[in-house]
Amino acid sequence: MIKKTLSLLAIACGLVAGTHGAHAAEDGQQLYGANCGLCHQAGATGVPGQFPPLKGRLDVIAGSPEGKTYLSHLVLNGMTGSIQAGGATYMGYMPSFRAMTDEQLAAILTYVSHLGGNASAPSFTADEIHAARDATMPPTAVLQERNALNDKKKLP
């Protein structure tokens, strides 16, 4: 009885901590809904003036190696400051999701990248996220990385 109770407690703690196992990590839509949807909304449509839309934009950003690296840095380190996205200005803060696994972050980015209906939308791998994990950056440095991409016309 004690063993069964401890097993159930361990499972419950894992669910609360967000460690749902490899099967859940493959479900980018579910992970997006649980971690990103509150701000960026269902379907990644955003909230005008508050949270930028991701749908139809992430696939374009991820279309270049430096864009994929930026997106990996963004989810791992967060970002703060004013940005231009889809012709609108947003001032805010995105938290770091560094506590999530490489597989979970890759699944979320892949899910959102494919929302735009682009058949050739890039996918993300856990190895790409893992490689970006070594670059611990303050949120303001991620904003600088974004601005550099924007200056090169790499961001929609």
Side-chain angles (χ1 to χ4, degrees):
M1 178 66 172
I2 291 174
K3 199 176 211 182
K4 185 175 181 179
T5 302
L6 289 175
S7 293
L8 290 174
L9 182 60
I11 291 169
C13 288
L15 290 175
V16 170
T19 56
H20 304 294
H23 175 65
E26 295 174 7
D27 188 353
Q29 182 177 10
Q30 181 183 19
L31 288 165
Y32 171 86
N35 295 283
C36 313
L38 181 64
C39 295
H40 293 284
Q41 303 297 294
T45 57
V47 176
Q50 293 181 348
F51 306 106
L54 305 176
K55 179 180 181 179
R57 294 181 53 252
L58 249 64
D59 58 327
V60 175
I61 296 169
S64 70
E66 62 264 52
K68 283 185 95 170
T69 299
Y70 156 70
L71 291 170
S72 297
H73 289 162
L74 176 64
V75 296
L76 287 165
N77 300 292
M79 186 172 65
T80 187
S82 178
I83 65 166
Q84 291 287 320
T89 300
Y90 297 88
M91 179 63 180
Y93 173 77
M94 179 172 155
S96 165
F97 290 94
R98 184 171 288 276
M100 296 179 75
T101 68
D102 298 337
E103 292 80 7
Q104 290 171 324
L105 293 173
I108 290 170
L109 288 171
T110 296
Y111 165 71
V112 177
S113 179
H114 289 103
L115 282 176
N118 178 355
S120 62
S123 294
F124 287 77
T125 67
D127 288 342
E128 290 170 325
I129 302 298
H130 183 74
R133 194 174 283 277
D134 290 338
T136 302
M137 305 164 68
T140 53
V142 177
L143 177 63
Q144 290 173 349
E145 183 179 17
R146 177 189 175 78
N147 289 339
L149 284 174
N150 206 28
D151 290 344
K152 294 178 183 178
K153 309 291 187 226
K154 299 271 184 178
L155 301 178

